[in-house]
Amino acid sequence: MTKILPEAPKDCDLCPRLRQFILDQREKEPDWFNGAVPSFGDPDAKLLVIGLAPGMTGANRTGRPFTGDWAGDLLYATLGKFGYTRGTYDRRPDDGLELKGAMITNAVRCVPPQNKPVGAEINQCRPFLKARIDALSDVKVLLCLGKISHDSTVRALGLRLKDHPFGHGSEYDLGGLTLLSSYHCSRYNTNTRRLTEEMFEDVFERAKALIEG
Ligand code: URA
């Protein structure tokens, strides 16, 4: 059996719709990254943050998860507050920022139209997510941002969605590993105050407490 690697190749063509979307974008913006965005961070991470999918002008442009868009401003600032960064986040993949003890990945590695991957695409990308989780031998907390990320992670772990419903702050002890979830830190969620900075920080505080035990 072929071993699935934790990162999709940049030119991954498993999802025809996403592949075509990226090829079209390469025509429009040839200088952008326009490919499957690899995870970013510490290979010894105890915290794995799992987003939804690259944003068009964020990760799809820069090639680093959450880098260059609104969601990233809040995510990287919060990681910094809790001591998971070294250096300064400056919305560019060459800003020199490093993550310490944390990694960021996405449930779907290619930018989807309207930020909405379809079920078949989420399923197709799940083996990379599973391989990503499996490759982190020290990981203690999987922090899922939003329901799509949460549900795909539950499935990647071979668990039942019915027994592990998504909620903001939902927490499942999986024995040495905790599945913790938050509303996604998107511009929409923060503008509507479905997710406030304080709510987001509370989830990170919990993640840190679980990690530091
Ligand atoms: N950028 C990402 O890389 N992932 C998201 O989920 C949102 C923005």
Side-chain angles (χ1 to χ4, degrees):
M1 218 172 67
T2 339
K3 190 169 162 8
I4 304 283
L5 298 172
E7 302 306 328
K10 183 177 178 187
D11 284 316
C12 185
D13 60 3
L14 291 174
C15 302
R17 187 183 75 122
L18 300 188
R19 175 75 182 146
Q20 193 53 52
F21 192 52
I22 283 182
L23 290 176
D24 293 346
Q25 198 55 31
R26 281 187 190 170
E27 299 274 312
K28 290 185 207 153
E29 297 288 353
D31 296 336
W32 289 11
F33 179 78
N34 295 319
V37 175
S39 313
F40 167 61
D42 187 348
D44 297 323
K46 292 194 163 53
L47 172 67
L48 178 64
V49 177
I50 306 168
L52 164 59
M56 175 56 93
T57 59
N60 179 66
R61 176 174 59 84
T62 63
R64 195 174 73 181
F66 284 89
T67 299
D69 60 20
W70 174 280
D73 287 355
L74 179 55
L75 177 58
Y76 283 108
T78 310
L79 282 164
K81 272 186 196 158
F82 287 87
Y84 289 108
T85 60
R86 185 182 294 120
T88 306
Y89 172 68
D90 194 22
R91 302 185 177 136
R92 298 180 282 113
D94 58 353
D95 56 13
L97 182 81
E98 289 174 39
L99 298 186
K100 333 177 259 180
M103 184 177 273
I104 308 175
T105 193
N106 279 307
V108 172
R109 305 296 175 85
C110 293
V111 60
Q114 274 104 45
N115 291 327
K116 287 193 180 79
V118 300
E121 293 158 353
I122 301 165
N123 294 342
Q124 194 69 262
C125 215
R126 187 169 308 113
F128 297 113
L129 174 60
K130 181 175 173 356
R132 182 69 275 164
I133 296 168
D134 291 348
L136 295 179
S137 50
D138 285 342
V139 74
K140 297 276 177 292
V141 173
L142 304 177
L143 173 44
C144 298
L145 305 182
K147 185 171 187 306
I148 290 179
S149 157
H150 171 94
D151 287 359
S152 195
T153 303
V154 168
R155 289 184 148 144
L157 296 169
L159 303 171
R160 288 150 59 106
L161 287 177
K162 187 167 85 51
D163 301 330
H164 304 84
F166 169 76
H168 177 76
S170 62
E171 182 179 323
Y172 299 98
D173 179 356
L174 308 175
L177 180 68
T178 303
L179 173 63
L180 186 63
S181 293
S182 165
Y183 290 142
H184 193 283
C185 52
S186 64
R187 185 196 293 260
Y188 180 81
N189 281 347
T190 50
N191 278 353
T192 57
R193 297 190 64 77
R194 181 176 172 84
L195 180 73
T196 63
E197 226 170 87
E198 296 70 44
M199 286 164 72
F200 201 48
E201 286 180 9
D202 285 350
V203 175
F204 274 80
E205 196 165 292
R206 179 64 186 145
K208 189 141 192 161
L210 286 163
I211 288 165
E212 292 184 355

PDB file of all heavy atoms in Angstrom, residues 47-83:
ATOM      1  N   LEU A  47       0.747  21.260  19.841  1.00  0.00           N
ATOM      2  CA  LEU A  47      -0.526  21.854  19.431  1.00  0.00           C
ATOM      3  C   LEU A  47      -0.601  21.865  17.905  1.00  0.00           C
ATOM      4  O   LEU A  47       0.275  22.419  17.247  1.00  0.00           O
ATOM      5  CB  LEU A  47      -0.597  23.304  19.947  1.00  0.00           C
ATOM      6  CG  LEU A  47      -1.774  24.147  19.459  1.00  0.00           C
ATOM      7  CD1 LEU A  47      -3.100  23.603  20.009  1.00  0.00           C
ATOM      8  CD2 LEU A  47      -1.604  25.614  19.882  1.00  0.00           C
ATOM      9  N   LEU A  48      -1.654  21.238  17.369  1.00  0.00           N
ATOM     10  CA  LEU A  48      -1.882  21.313  15.925  1.00  0.00           C
ATOM     11  C   LEU A  48      -3.166  22.094  15.693  1.00  0.00           C
ATOM     12  O   LEU A  48      -4.253  21.669  16.122  1.00  0.00           O
ATOM     13  CB  LEU A  48      -1.998  19.911  15.301  1.00  0.00           C
ATOM     14  CG  LEU A  48      -2.278  19.900  13.789  1.00  0.00           C
ATOM     15  CD1 LEU A  48      -1.132  20.524  12.989  1.00  0.00           C
ATOM     16  CD2 LEU A  48      -2.545  18.480  13.278  1.00  0.00           C
ATOM     17  N   VAL A  49      -3.053  23.257  15.058  1.00  0.00           N
ATOM     18  CA  VAL A  49      -4.213  24.080  14.720  1.00  0.00           C
ATOM     19  C   VAL A  49      -4.656  23.660  13.312  1.00  0.00           C
ATOM     20  O   VAL A  49      -3.849  23.632  12.384  1.00  0.00           O
ATOM     21  CB  VAL A  49      -3.846  25.584  14.740  1.00  0.00           C
ATOM     22  CG1 VAL A  49      -5.039  26.431  14.315  1.00  0.00           C
ATOM     23  CG2 VAL A  49      -3.347  25.999  16.121  1.00  0.00           C
ATOM     24  N   ILE A  50      -5.933  23.311  13.195  1.00  0.00           N
ATOM     25  CA  ILE A  50      -6.440  22.809  11.907  1.00  0.00           C
ATOM     26  C   ILE A  50      -7.495  23.784  11.370  1.00  0.00           C
ATOM     27  O   ILE A  50      -8.591  23.909  11.937  1.00  0.00           O
ATOM     28  CB  ILE A  50      -7.019  21.381  12.080  1.00  0.00           C
ATOM     29  CG1 ILE A  50      -5.960  20.462  12.726  1.00  0.00           C
ATOM     30  CG2 ILE A  50      -7.488  20.835  10.717  1.00  0.00           C
ATOM     31  CD1 ILE A  50      -6.501  19.118  13.197  1.00  0.00           C
ATOM     32  N   GLY A  51      -7.133  24.496  10.310  1.00  0.00           N
ATOM     33  CA  GLY A  51      -8.053  25.441   9.695  1.00  0.00           C
ATOM     34  C   GLY A  51      -8.924  24.744   8.658  1.00  0.00           C
ATOM     35  O   GLY A  51      -8.950  23.510   8.553  1.00  0.00           O
ATOM     36  N   LEU A  52      -9.604  25.561   7.874  1.00  0.00           N
ATOM     37  CA  LEU A  52     -10.506  25.019   6.859  1.00  0.00           C
ATOM     38  C   LEU A  52      -9.751  24.766   5.547  1.00  0.00           C
ATOM     39  O   LEU A  52      -9.523  23.609   5.171  1.00  0.00           O
ATOM     40  CB  LEU A  52     -11.665  26.017   6.686  1.00  0.00           C
ATOM     41  CG  LEU A  52     -12.556  25.915   5.464  1.00  0.00           C
ATOM     42  CD1 LEU A  52     -13.232  24.558   5.375  1.00  0.00           C
ATOM     43  CD2 LEU A  52     -13.600  27.022   5.464  1.00  0.00           C
ATOM     44  N   ALA A  53      -9.365  25.824   4.887  1.00  0.00           N
ATOM     45  CA  ALA A  53      -8.707  25.731   3.582  1.00  0.00           C
ATOM     46  C   ALA A  53      -8.043  27.078   3.311  1.00  0.00           C
ATOM     47  O   ALA A  53      -8.457  28.094   3.881  1.00  0.00           O
ATOM     48  CB  ALA A  53      -9.746  25.444   2.488  1.00  0.00           C
ATOM     49  N   PRO A  54      -7.037  27.121   2.446  1.00  0.00           N
ATOM     50  CA  PRO A  54      -6.390  28.401   2.161  1.00  0.00           C
ATOM     51  C   PRO A  54      -7.383  29.454   1.667  1.00  0.00           C
ATOM     52  O   PRO A  54      -8.293  29.133   0.898  1.00  0.00           O
ATOM     53  CB  PRO A  54      -5.393  28.046   1.041  1.00  0.00           C
ATOM     54  CG  PRO A  54      -5.158  26.588   1.179  1.00  0.00           C
ATOM     55  CD  PRO A  54      -6.441  26.006   1.685  1.00  0.00           C
ATOM     56  N   GLY A  55      -7.210  30.680   2.121  1.00  0.00           N
ATOM     57  CA  GLY A  55      -7.992  31.799   1.596  1.00  0.00           C
ATOM     58  C   GLY A  55      -7.351  32.224   0.274  1.00  0.00           C
ATOM     59  O   GLY A  55      -6.135  32.097   0.102  1.00  0.00           O
ATOM     60  N   MET A  56      -8.166  32.752  -0.632  1.00  0.00           N
ATOM     61  CA  MET A  56      -7.645  33.112  -1.961  1.00  0.00           C
ATOM     62  C   MET A  56      -6.490  34.112  -1.885  1.00  0.00           C
ATOM     63  O   MET A  56      -5.429  33.890  -2.462  1.00  0.00           O
ATOM     64  CB  MET A  56      -8.792  33.672  -2.814  1.00  0.00           C
ATOM     65  CG  MET A  56      -8.346  34.177  -4.165  1.00  0.00           C
ATOM     66  SD  MET A  56      -7.462  32.933  -5.132  1.00  0.00           S
ATOM     67  CE  MET A  56      -8.802  32.239  -6.060  1.00  0.00           C
ATOM     68  N   THR A  57      -6.700  35.210  -1.144  1.00  0.00           N
ATOM     69  CA  THR A  57      -5.647  36.234  -1.124  1.00  0.00           C
ATOM     70  C   THR A  57      -4.726  36.081   0.085  1.00  0.00           C
ATOM     71  O   THR A  57      -3.805  36.876   0.263  1.00  0.00           O
ATOM     72  CB  THR A  57      -6.262  37.654  -1.129  1.00  0.00           C
ATOM     73  OG1 THR A  57      -7.102  37.763   0.022  1.00  0.00           O
ATOM     74  CG2 THR A  57      -7.082  37.894  -2.382  1.00  0.00           C
ATOM     75  N   GLY A  58      -5.015  35.072   0.910  1.00  0.00           N
ATOM     76  CA  GLY A  58      -4.145  34.775   2.048  1.00  0.00           C
ATOM     77  C   GLY A  58      -3.182  33.665   1.661  1.00  0.00           C
ATOM     78  O   GLY A  58      -2.259  33.858   0.857  1.00  0.00           O
ATOM     79  N   ALA A  59      -3.439  32.467   2.206  1.00  0.00           N
ATOM     80  CA  ALA A  59      -2.503  31.354   2.006  1.00  0.00           C
ATOM     81  C   ALA A  59      -2.320  30.983   0.535  1.00  0.00           C
ATOM     82  O   ALA A  59      -1.231  30.591   0.129  1.00  0.00           O
ATOM     83  CB  ALA A  59      -2.981  30.143   2.804  1.00  0.00           C
ATOM     84  N   ASN A  60      -3.352  31.093  -0.270  1.00  0.00           N
ATOM     85  CA  ASN A  60      -3.180  30.741  -1.687  1.00  0.00           C
ATOM     86  C   ASN A  60      -2.238  31.717  -2.399  1.00  0.00           C
ATOM     87  O   ASN A  60      -1.574  31.365  -3.355  1.00  0.00           O
ATOM     88  CB  ASN A  60      -4.512  30.691  -2.422  1.00  0.00           C
ATOM     89  CG  ASN A  60      -4.295  30.356  -3.880  1.00  0.00           C
ATOM     90  OD1 ASN A  60      -3.852  29.259  -4.206  1.00  0.00           O
ATOM     91  ND2 ASN A  60      -4.518  31.313  -4.766  1.00  0.00           N
ATOM     92  N   ARG A  61      -2.202  32.931  -1.889  1.00  0.00           N
ATOM     93  CA  ARG A  61      -1.301  33.925  -2.495  1.00  0.00           C
ATOM     94  C   ARG A  61       0.124  33.763  -1.957  1.00  0.00           C
ATOM     95  O   ARG A  61       1.092  33.801  -2.713  1.00  0.00           O
ATOM     96  CB  ARG A  61      -1.833  35.348  -2.193  1.00  0.00           C
ATOM     97  CG  ARG A  61      -0.943  36.471  -2.677  1.00  0.00           C
ATOM     98  CD  ARG A  61      -1.595  37.823  -2.468  1.00  0.00           C
ATOM     99  NE  ARG A  61      -1.911  38.097  -1.074  1.00  0.00           N
ATOM    100  CZ  ARG A  61      -1.049  38.596  -0.185  1.00  0.00           C
ATOM    101  NH1 ARG A  61       0.178  38.900  -0.541  1.00  0.00           N
ATOM    102  NH2 ARG A  61      -1.423  38.813   1.069  1.00  0.00           N
ATOM    103  N   THR A  62       0.205  33.553  -0.626  1.00  0.00           N
ATOM    104  CA  THR A  62       1.535  33.590   0.015  1.00  0.00           C
ATOM    105  C   THR A  62       2.182  32.216   0.159  1.00  0.00           C
ATOM    106  O   THR A  62       3.399  32.128   0.335  1.00  0.00           O
ATOM    107  CB  THR A  62       1.416  34.218   1.417  1.00  0.00           C
ATOM    108  OG1 THR A  62       0.562  33.374   2.233  1.00  0.00           O
ATOM    109  CG2 THR A  62       0.825  35.616   1.368  1.00  0.00           C
ATOM    110  N   GLY A  63       1.363  31.151   0.170  1.00  0.00           N
ATOM    111  CA  GLY A  63       1.910  29.803   0.305  1.00  0.00           C
ATOM    112  C   GLY A  63       2.124  29.351   1.731  1.00  0.00           C
ATOM    113  O   GLY A  63       2.663  28.267   1.957  1.00  0.00           O
ATOM    114  N   ARG A  64       1.702  30.149   2.720  1.00  0.00           N
ATOM    115  CA  ARG A  64       1.816  29.738   4.124  1.00  0.00           C
ATOM    116  C   ARG A  64       0.439  29.836   4.763  1.00  0.00           C
ATOM    117  O   ARG A  64      -0.248  30.846   4.574  1.00  0.00           O
ATOM    118  CB  ARG A  64       2.834  30.633   4.854  1.00  0.00           C
ATOM    119  CG  ARG A  64       3.288  30.070   6.186  1.00  0.00           C
ATOM    120  CD  ARG A  64       4.398  30.911   6.814  1.00  0.00           C
ATOM    121  NE  ARG A  64       3.889  32.168   7.339  1.00  0.00           N
ATOM    122  CZ  ARG A  64       4.650  33.104   7.923  1.00  0.00           C
ATOM    123  NH1 ARG A  64       5.962  32.918   8.039  1.00  0.00           N
ATOM    124  NH2 ARG A  64       4.109  34.217   8.370  1.00  0.00           N
ATOM    125  N   PRO A  65       0.001  28.814   5.509  1.00  0.00           N
ATOM    126  CA  PRO A  65      -1.358  28.830   6.035  1.00  0.00           C
ATOM    127  C   PRO A  65      -1.666  30.127   6.803  1.00  0.00           C
ATOM    128  O   PRO A  65      -0.835  30.598   7.578  1.00  0.00           O
ATOM    129  CB  PRO A  65      -1.401  27.631   6.992  1.00  0.00           C
ATOM    130  CG  PRO A  65      -0.310  26.727   6.550  1.00  0.00           C
ATOM    131  CD  PRO A  65       0.739  27.611   5.932  1.00  0.00           C
ATOM    132  N   PHE A  66      -2.845  30.673   6.537  1.00  0.00           N
ATOM    133  CA  PHE A  66      -3.366  31.844   7.244  1.00  0.00           C
ATOM    134  C   PHE A  66      -2.519  33.109   7.059  1.00  0.00           C
ATOM    135  O   PHE A  66      -2.727  34.095   7.751  1.00  0.00           O
ATOM    136  CB  PHE A  66      -3.505  31.559   8.746  1.00  0.00           C
ATOM    137  CG  PHE A  66      -4.691  30.700   9.078  1.00  0.00           C
ATOM    138  CD1 PHE A  66      -4.577  29.322   9.087  1.00  0.00           C
ATOM    139  CD2 PHE A  66      -5.924  31.255   9.385  1.00  0.00           C
ATOM    140  CE1 PHE A  66      -5.659  28.509   9.389  1.00  0.00           C
ATOM    141  CE2 PHE A  66      -7.017  30.460   9.695  1.00  0.00           C
ATOM    142  CZ  PHE A  66      -6.886  29.080   9.698  1.00  0.00           C
ATOM    143  N   THR A  67      -1.561  33.077   6.177  1.00  0.00           N
ATOM    144  CA  THR A  67      -0.656  34.228   6.050  1.00  0.00           C
ATOM    145  C   THR A  67      -1.166  35.215   5.005  1.00  0.00           C
ATOM    146  O   THR A  67      -1.318  34.852   3.834  1.00  0.00           O
ATOM    147  CB  THR A  67       0.770  33.743   5.728  1.00  0.00           C
ATOM    148  OG1 THR A  67       1.200  32.919   6.824  1.00  0.00           O
ATOM    149  CG2 THR A  67       1.727  34.892   5.531  1.00  0.00           C
ATOM    150  N   GLY A  68      -1.444  36.428   5.464  1.00  0.00           N
ATOM    151  CA  GLY A  68      -1.844  37.489   4.538  1.00  0.00           C
ATOM    152  C   GLY A  68      -3.325  37.760   4.520  1.00  0.00           C
ATOM    153  O   GLY A  68      -3.792  38.566   3.719  1.00  0.00           O
ATOM    154  N   ASP A  69      -4.094  37.096   5.393  1.00  0.00           N
ATOM    155  CA  ASP A  69      -5.520  37.455   5.436  1.00  0.00           C
ATOM    156  C   ASP A  69      -5.960  37.760   6.867  1.00  0.00           C
ATOM    157  O   ASP A  69      -5.216  37.595   7.820  1.00  0.00           O
ATOM    158  CB  ASP A  69      -6.408  36.419   4.729  1.00  0.00           C
ATOM    159  CG  ASP A  69      -6.311  35.037   5.333  1.00  0.00           C
ATOM    160  OD1 ASP A  69      -5.878  34.910   6.491  1.00  0.00           O
ATOM    161  OD2 ASP A  69      -6.675  34.082   4.635  1.00  0.00           O
ATOM    162  N   TRP A  70      -7.170  38.196   6.960  1.00  0.00           N
ATOM    163  CA  TRP A  70      -7.739  38.641   8.236  1.00  0.00           C
ATOM    164  C   TRP A  70      -7.653  37.550   9.304  1.00  0.00           C
ATOM    165  O   TRP A  70      -7.257  37.792  10.456  1.00  0.00           O
ATOM    166  CB  TRP A  70      -9.203  39.028   7.972  1.00  0.00           C
ATOM    167  CG  TRP A  70      -9.995  39.367   9.170  1.00  0.00           C
ATOM    168  CD1 TRP A  70     -10.582  38.501  10.058  1.00  0.00           C
ATOM    169  CD2 TRP A  70     -10.277  40.680   9.644  1.00  0.00           C
ATOM    170  NE1 TRP A  70     -11.221  39.205  11.036  1.00  0.00           N
ATOM    171  CE2 TRP A  70     -11.057  40.550  10.805  1.00  0.00           C
ATOM    172  CE3 TRP A  70      -9.951  41.966   9.174  1.00  0.00           C
ATOM    173  CZ2 TRP A  70     -11.520  41.635  11.523  1.00  0.00           C
ATOM    174  CZ3 TRP A  70     -10.428  43.054   9.893  1.00  0.00           C
ATOM    175  CH2 TRP A  70     -11.193  42.877  11.045  1.00  0.00           C
ATOM    176  N   ALA A  71      -8.059  36.353   8.912  1.00  0.00           N
ATOM    177  CA  ALA A  71      -8.075  35.240   9.874  1.00  0.00           C
ATOM    178  C   ALA A  71      -6.673  35.026  10.450  1.00  0.00           C
ATOM    179  O   ALA A  71      -6.517  34.723  11.639  1.00  0.00           O
ATOM    180  CB  ALA A  71      -8.565  33.965   9.180  1.00  0.00           C
ATOM    181  N   GLY A  72      -5.668  35.234   9.604  1.00  0.00           N
ATOM    182  CA  GLY A  72      -4.291  35.037  10.049  1.00  0.00           C
ATOM    183  C   GLY A  72      -3.849  36.092  11.048  1.00  0.00           C
ATOM    184  O   GLY A  72      -3.074  35.796  11.970  1.00  0.00           O
ATOM    185  N   ASP A  73      -4.335  37.324  10.877  1.00  0.00           N
ATOM    186  CA  ASP A  73      -3.948  38.383  11.831  1.00  0.00           C
ATOM    187  C   ASP A  73      -4.323  37.950  13.247  1.00  0.00           C
ATOM    188  O   ASP A  73      -3.531  38.066  14.177  1.00  0.00           O
ATOM    189  CB  ASP A  73      -4.651  39.709  11.495  1.00  0.00           C
ATOM    190  CG  ASP A  73      -4.070  40.373  10.255  1.00  0.00           C
ATOM    191  OD1 ASP A  73      -3.071  39.854   9.707  1.00  0.00           O
ATOM    192  OD2 ASP A  73      -4.626  41.404   9.829  1.00  0.00           O
ATOM    193  N   LEU A  74      -5.550  37.441  13.388  1.00  0.00           N
ATOM    194  CA  LEU A  74      -6.003  37.036  14.726  1.00  0.00           C
ATOM    195  C   LEU A  74      -5.307  35.746  15.166  1.00  0.00           C
ATOM    196  O   LEU A  74      -4.863  35.633  16.317  1.00  0.00           O
ATOM    197  CB  LEU A  74      -7.533  36.866  14.734  1.00  0.00           C
ATOM    198  CG  LEU A  74      -8.147  36.419  16.054  1.00  0.00           C
ATOM    199  CD1 LEU A  74      -7.757  37.357  17.203  1.00  0.00           C
ATOM    200  CD2 LEU A  74      -9.677  36.353  15.949  1.00  0.00           C
ATOM    201  N   LEU A  75      -5.187  34.793  14.261  1.00  0.00           N
ATOM    202  CA  LEU A  75      -4.576  33.516  14.649  1.00  0.00           C
ATOM    203  C   LEU A  75      -3.120  33.701  15.085  1.00  0.00           C
ATOM    204  O   LEU A  75      -2.711  33.223  16.151  1.00  0.00           O
ATOM    205  CB  LEU A  75      -4.664  32.503  13.502  1.00  0.00           C
ATOM    206  CG  LEU A  75      -3.985  31.160  13.778  1.00  0.00           C
ATOM    207  CD1 LEU A  75      -4.563  30.468  15.015  1.00  0.00           C
ATOM    208  CD2 LEU A  75      -4.102  30.238  12.566  1.00  0.00           C
ATOM    209  N   TYR A  76      -2.322  34.393  14.278  1.00  0.00           N
ATOM    210  CA  TYR A  76      -0.899  34.536  14.637  1.00  0.00           C
ATOM    211  C   TYR A  76      -0.726  35.408  15.888  1.00  0.00           C
ATOM    212  O   TYR A  76       0.152  35.145  16.706  1.00  0.00           O
ATOM    213  CB  TYR A  76      -0.093  35.077  13.451  1.00  0.00           C
ATOM    214  CG  TYR A  76       0.173  34.011  12.400  1.00  0.00           C
ATOM    215  CD1 TYR A  76      -0.479  34.015  11.175  1.00  0.00           C
ATOM    216  CD2 TYR A  76       1.073  32.971  12.660  1.00  0.00           C
ATOM    217  CE1 TYR A  76      -0.237  33.024  10.224  1.00  0.00           C
ATOM    218  CE2 TYR A  76       1.319  31.977  11.720  1.00  0.00           C
ATOM    219  CZ  TYR A  76       0.655  32.009  10.503  1.00  0.00           C
ATOM    220  OH  TYR A  76       0.893  31.012   9.578  1.00  0.00           O
ATOM    221  N   ALA A  77      -1.587  36.436  16.029  1.00  0.00           N
ATOM    222  CA  ALA A  77      -1.493  37.274  17.236  1.00  0.00           C
ATOM    223  C   ALA A  77      -1.786  36.424  18.475  1.00  0.00           C
ATOM    224  O   ALA A  77      -1.117  36.538  19.510  1.00  0.00           O
ATOM    225  CB  ALA A  77      -2.469  38.445  17.142  1.00  0.00           C
ATOM    226  N   THR A  78      -2.775  35.551  18.356  1.00  0.00           N
ATOM    227  CA  THR A  78      -3.158  34.735  19.511  1.00  0.00           C
ATOM    228  C   THR A  78      -2.079  33.691  19.809  1.00  0.00           C
ATOM    229  O   THR A  78      -1.725  33.465  20.971  1.00  0.00           O
ATOM    230  CB  THR A  78      -4.543  34.078  19.263  1.00  0.00           C
ATOM    231  OG1 THR A  78      -5.443  35.109  18.846  1.00  0.00           O
ATOM    232  CG2 THR A  78      -5.082  33.416  20.514  1.00  0.00           C
ATOM    233  N   LEU A  79      -1.536  33.083  18.766  1.00  0.00           N
ATOM    234  CA  LEU A  79      -0.433  32.125  18.986  1.00  0.00           C
ATOM    235  C   LEU A  79       0.718  32.834  19.698  1.00  0.00           C
ATOM    236  O   LEU A  79       1.340  32.276  20.607  1.00  0.00           O
ATOM    237  CB  LEU A  79       0.038  31.553  17.643  1.00  0.00           C
ATOM    238  CG  LEU A  79      -0.851  30.464  17.036  1.00  0.00           C
ATOM    239  CD1 LEU A  79      -0.517  30.251  15.559  1.00  0.00           C
ATOM    240  CD2 LEU A  79      -0.704  29.133  17.794  1.00  0.00           C
ATOM    241  N   GLY A  80       0.972  34.076  19.299  1.00  0.00           N
ATOM    242  CA  GLY A  80       2.045  34.858  19.927  1.00  0.00           C
ATOM    243  C   GLY A  80       1.761  35.117  21.399  1.00  0.00           C
ATOM    244  O   GLY A  80       2.635  34.944  22.258  1.00  0.00           O
ATOM    245  N   LYS A  81       0.516  35.489  21.712  1.00  0.00           N
ATOM    246  CA  LYS A  81       0.153  35.785  23.114  1.00  0.00           C
ATOM    247  C   LYS A  81       0.378  34.581  24.017  1.00  0.00           C
ATOM    248  O   LYS A  81       0.659  34.723  25.197  1.00  0.00           O
ATOM    249  CB  LYS A  81      -1.331  36.172  23.198  1.00  0.00           C
ATOM    250  CG  LYS A  81      -1.572  37.635  22.983  1.00  0.00           C
ATOM    251  CD  LYS A  81      -3.009  38.028  23.211  1.00  0.00           C
ATOM    252  CE  LYS A  81      -3.227  39.389  22.593  1.00  0.00           C
ATOM    253  NZ  LYS A  81      -4.600  39.704  22.286  1.00  0.00           N
ATOM    254  N   PHE A  82       0.201  33.399  23.451  1.00  0.00           N
ATOM    255  CA  PHE A  82       0.341  32.188  24.265  1.00  0.00           C
ATOM    256  C   PHE A  82       1.722  31.547  24.134  1.00  0.00           C
ATOM    257  O   PHE A  82       1.936  30.419  24.579  1.00  0.00           O
ATOM    258  CB  PHE A  82      -0.806  31.210  23.960  1.00  0.00           C
ATOM    259  CG  PHE A  82      -2.088  31.707  24.557  1.00  0.00           C
ATOM    260  CD1 PHE A  82      -2.897  32.583  23.860  1.00  0.00           C
ATOM    261  CD2 PHE A  82      -2.445  31.365  25.855  1.00  0.00           C
ATOM    262  CE1 PHE A  82      -4.055  33.103  24.427  1.00  0.00           C
ATOM    263  CE2 PHE A  82      -3.594  31.876  26.433  1.00  0.00           C
ATOM    264  CZ  PHE A  82      -4.408  32.742  25.710  1.00  0.00           C
ATOM    265  N   GLY A  83       2.636  32.275  23.537  1.00  0.00           N
ATOM    266  CA  GLY A  83       4.040  31.832  23.534  1.00  0.00           C
ATOM    267  C   GLY A  83       4.386  30.806  22.475  1.00  0.00           C
ATOM    268  O   GLY A  83       5.413  30.125  22.581  1.00  0.00           O
TER     269      GLY A  83
END
